[in-house]
Amino acid sequence: MTWVNAVIQGLLLGGQYALIACGLSLTFGVMRIVNLAHGDLAVCGAYLGLVLSSSLGVPVWYVLPLLLPAAFGVGLVLQTLLFGRAMRHGVLAPVLVTFGLSVMIENLLQVAATSDPRGLAGGSLALASFRIGSHITVSWLFMTAFLTACAVLSGLQLLLSRTSWGRKVRATADDPDTARLVGIKVRAVFATVAGTAVATAALAGIFIGTIGTFDPLAGSSTLIFAFEAVVIGGIGSLWGTLVGGMALGVTQVVVGQVNQAYAVLAVHLLFLAVLAVRPAGLFASHQAAREVRGSGALG
Amino acid sequence: MSTAAPEPPLEVTGVDVFYGDFQALFGVSLAVTRGRATALVGANGAGKTTLLRTIAGAQAAASGSVRYAGSDLTAAPPHRRISRGIALVPEGRKLFGSLTVEENILVGAAAAASSDWPLDRIYGTFPMIARRRRQRASTLSGGEQQAVAIARALAAAPTLLLLDEISLGLAPRVVGELYQTLAELREAGATLLIVEQDLRRAMAACDDLVCLLEGRVVLAAPVPAVTREQVVAAYFGLRSREGRT
């Protein structure tokens, strides 16, 4: 029963990883840039949630209608002023720019909010739980995070496959030059994708803050897990990212059941193993798989 | 042939285009009259594709101007040119491989100039791709892909259609079908600018002919006014500038 419990808790934890990772997956899949500040933006979302909920005196869930559009706006501005410009200067420039942004955010947060760990008040939901059988207890908060992750990823997938916006995003991901040539406003597409990515990061940040604690440097470790979920799942596949996140979560909790000291190491070993056997990830789009093989041949 | 010559809808004047230090076009001027088909011919590297991409807005002109239907589009981005009625079928088709045939066509309508080309009219024009509408574009044969590439451009409801090497790598029968479709488009009033390697086919399908040699216009004339030999000479730069009218 402890193993079944470990798998269930692992899947729930994996949902959180997938929620953080989906924005990274989207930016990576569409713009081919790895946003190294993605984890820090999630942490910023948690701090903004803290400020808003404590100044308004309401549980953090009530500030989401303010927080998410603000995060979307931040994504638009970042893409337009920073990432978009960097992308025009080769593949290395976005890496340096997002790394620089990551360092800046972490240091600014330390100055503005000190290094003390903080948590978000999740209201009654944070303490509630339900039982499956007699041995397995599931936290409603974890369940909510998991269901939110599934809803966000499915919603994004539906938007991508069914809407005119999604069609433009996929066309741009396939071939940005031709997309521009057939009349797609590529910069506007990139900006909305970045906005969506930052909004999902902020939402993930709220769950990070309610489930555990966060501090100004929490973004980097968050980023590593998110990045691993994206790579395991396969670049350019949101479903893959969900599966990748769950694979990480289950590995972490199941190995932790044996020996807590090896839990995080096992996650990184899983990542290395997938990278060695299937470098394009488990569910990579054909396009992404080709690119990974192509760059492998060069490097 | 005709009475008073109407104002040309497309006027390219003195266009220079560079790729870094390399100059691809030298003071190229070109006029395409409404309702006519113009063949753009020349050897590999003569600048035909560059000229089409400059007209479509994919390539910036260092100097000179591109005017269409009375407005200066020299600095306009592609989506603005498309909404003014210019659409390009790029060399090598350049379909969005992970999108279905229908999605490719719908993407082409993103900045459409008008609603003159709804899906059913496009499928009526290209019955061979109507059957494949739900299939991924990358799974189609070369001829079908070329038809989708033309359909994607038509979805923008262009009044000027630029076609770059649509017969490349296709069986003669398929090329014949595509040119048949182009002839139908002409009858419906479209203005065409066609880059074509096959000189015989280009001269058969078009009213006017422009020949580029190393980035310069060396011959521009109505097709009936030139012989095949004159065009071949201009094509290879054998007789210097004699064929120019």
Side-chain angles (χ1 to χ4, degrees):
Chain A
M1 218 49 184
T2 51
W3 295 108
V4 176
N5 184 41
V7 170
I8 289 174
Q9 304 300 341
L11 286 174
L12 295 178
L13 178 64
Q16 293 173 45
Y17 290 150
L19 186 58
I20 303 161
C22 75
L24 200 64
S25 176
L26 201 58
T27 350
F28 202 13
V30 177
M31 294 170 259
R32 301 289 187 271
I33 65 170
V34 182
N35 181 4
L36 295 176
H38 189 76
D40 299 296
L41 289 168
V43 172
C44 281
Y47 274 105
L48 188 58
L50 182 66
V51 170
L52 286 175
S53 70
S54 56
S55 60
L56 296 175
V58 291
V60 72
W61 313 116
Y62 292 95
V63 307
L64 286 179
L66 285 175
L67 184 81
L68 296 182
F72 185 87
V74 168
L76 287 183
V77 171
L78 281 178
Q79 174 64 31
T80 311
L81 296 185
L82 223 59
F83 305 158
R85 285 165 190 241
M87 282 163 67
R88 272 167 256 154
H89 298 281
V91 288
L92 189 60
V95 176
L96 297 176
V97 164
T98 59
F99 182 69
L101 182 66
S102 163
V103 173
M104 269 176 57
I105 290 175
E106 290 183 2
N107 285 285
L108 284 174
L109 285 177
Q110 277 183 318
V111 171
T114 75
S115 303
D116 297 339
R118 315 268 178 148
L120 291 172
S124 54
L125 185 72
L127 302 169
S129 63
F130 65 94
R131 296 175 84 81
I132 303 172
S134 53
H135 296 287
I136 299 170
T137 306
V138 176
S139 145
W140 269 113
L141 189 55
F142 271 63
M143 197 64 200
T144 307
F146 177 80
L147 292 176
T148 304
C150 293
V152 166
L153 281 151
S154 322
L156 277 176
Q157 191 70 54
L158 270 177
L159 279 176
L160 285 175
S161 56
R162 298 287 168 81
T163 66
S164 153
W165 175 78
R167 215 159 43 225
K168 289 178 192 166
V169 169
R170 285 180 292 133
T172 306
D174 267 10
D175 183 347
D177 293 336
T178 306
R180 188 167 174 274
L181 199 57
V182 303
I184 294 173
K185 293 170 192 161
V186 169
R187 282 183 200 176
V189 167
F190 282 167
T192 52
V193 167
T196 309
V198 176
T200 59
L203 182 60
I206 296 301
F207 279 105
I208 292 173
T210 34
I211 287 170
T213 60
F214 57 96
D215 61 63
L217 302 180
S220 302
S221 57
T222 307
L223 176 77
I224 291 175
F225 281 96
F227 184 70
E228 290 180 346
V230 173
V231 173
I232 289 175
I235 294 151
S237 162
L238 284 177
W239 294 129
T241 301
L242 185 60
V243 174
M246 289 179 185
L248 292 183
V250 171
T251 307
Q252 185 177 345
V253 178
V254 168
V255 174
Q257 190 78 38
V258 182
N259 187 335
Q260 195 58 45
Y262 293 115
V264 172
L265 178 66
V267 167
H268 298 324
L269 288 177
L270 172 73
F271 166 69
L272 276 180
V274 171
L275 209 52
V277 179
R278 280 181 75 100
L282 299 177
F283 300 95
S285 65
H286 294 290
Q287 165 109 4
R290 228 179 9 253
E291 280 174 27
V292 169
R293 277 199 297 275
S295 58
L298 282 173
Chain B
M1 281 201 324
S2 60
T3 50
E7 189 202 349
L10 174 70
E11 282 179 293
V12 176
T13 315
V15 160
D16 292 322
V17 173
F18 293 83
Y19 295 106
D21 289 337
F22 173 75
Q23 187 166 3
L25 295 180
F26 298 83
V28 168
S29 297
L30 175 88
V32 176
T33 315
R34 192 182 303 280
R36 287 173 79 84
T38 303
L40 187 58
V41 300
N44 282 334
K48 306 183 295 290
T49 294
T50 303
L51 180 53
L52 285 199
R53 287 174 60 85
T54 308
I55 296 168
Q59 193 69 46
S63 57
S65 71
V66 176
R67 296 177 61 82
Y68 183 68
S71 43
D72 188 345
L73 296 177
T74 313
H79 66 86
R80 262 195 57 210
R81 300 185 195 219
I82 289 170
S83 58
R84 289 304 177 105
I86 303 178
L88 169 69
V89 180
E91 186 182 11
R93 300 153 202 154
K94 299 282 168 62
L95 295 182
F96 302 111
S98 71
L99 273 60
T100 65
V101 166
E102 185 151 305
E103 286 175 334
N104 267 279
I105 296 170
L106 289 172
V107 161
S114 71
S115 50
D116 283 354
W117 280 91
L119 277 177
D120 50 0
R121 185 175 173 198
I122 288 174
Y123 289 137
T125 308
F126 294 101
M128 63 163 145
I129 60 173
R131 276 173 277 130
R132 307 241 185 266
R133 59 202 289 174
R134 306 259 173 252
Q135 235 169 290
R136 279 189 186 217
S138 55
T139 62
L140 268 54
S141 73
E144 289 166 340
Q145 287 194 12
Q146 189 62 69
V148 176
I150 298 173
R152 183 178 64 185
L154 283 179
T159 47
L160 169 65
L161 186 58
L162 313 171
L163 298 122
D164 199 351
E165 304 252 15
I166 57 165
S167 51
L168 206 66
L170 300 182
R173 185 184 55 78
V174 178
V175 177
E177 284 172 21
L178 290 174
Y179 270 89
Q180 184 56 44
T181 309
L182 293 187
E184 288 162 20
L185 293 177
R186 289 266 333 274
E187 269 161 38
T191 308
L192 307 177
L193 180 55
I194 303 173
V195 167
E196 175 58 65
Q197 289 283 358
D198 182 343
L199 206 52
R200 190 186 49 77
R201 197 178 284 282
M203 292 179 78
C206 295
D207 310 297
D208 297 306
L209 184 136
V210 172
C211 184
L212 287 179
L213 176 68
E214 291 169 355
R216 293 179 171 85
V217 176
V218 287
L219 176 70
V223 169
V226 290
T227 64
R228 199 178 138 77
E229 286 65 37
Q230 281 175 308
V231 178
V232 171
Y235 195 103
F236 293 108
L238 297 178
R239 280 186 299 168
S240 54
R241 315 295 143 88
E242 247 180 78
R244 178 177 270 186
T245 52

